Amino acid sequence: AKKGLHPLLYRITVVGTKGGTFPIFSAVQQKGSKLFLQADQDTHSLWSGKKVVSAATGQVAKFKKRFDFLSGTTIGKKK
């Protein structure tokens, strides 16, 4: 077996959106040894069942509205 093949593992603490913590091992050493989650089982729509409206949804709608003329549905239609 080769030595130095596997990366060093660091023990870090994961902090959830509501402040709950649990330890994990990571090959990446985080500043302060803490990883703060933006979405977890308490806030993600997959686990909570709540639909989350984000700023990205508005950006997608704005993009579709702006570039709708490029889609095949509007080509050949008379105004």
Side-chain angles (χ1 to χ4, degrees):
K2 293 183 181 180
K3 291 187 177 188
L5 182 65
H6 298 287
L8 293 175
L9 293 179
Y10 302 97
R11 187 180 186 113
I12 65 170
T13 302
V14 176
V15 181
T17 56
K18 292 187 177 180
T21 62
F22 59 91
I24 65 167
F25 289 98
S26 173
V28 179
Q29 187 174 15
Q30 298 290 329
K31 184 177 181 181
S33 298
K34 290 187 179 182
L35 175 66
F36 294 92
L37 300 177
Q38 293 179 347
D40 60 5
Q41 68 272 15
D42 294 327
T43 59
H44 195 279
S45 61
L46 181 66
W47 290 288
S48 68
K50 298 176 184 174
K51 187 173 182 178
V52 178
V53 178
S54 65
T57 305
Q59 294 295 323
V60 171
K62 186 191 290 187
F63 177 84
K64 286 182 179 180
K65 182 179 176 183
R66 186 173 185 185
F67 294 104
D68 185 43
F69 70 94
L70 295 175
S71 68
T73 58
T74 56
I75 296 175
K77 288 187 176 181
K78 294 183 179 181
K79 292 183 179 180

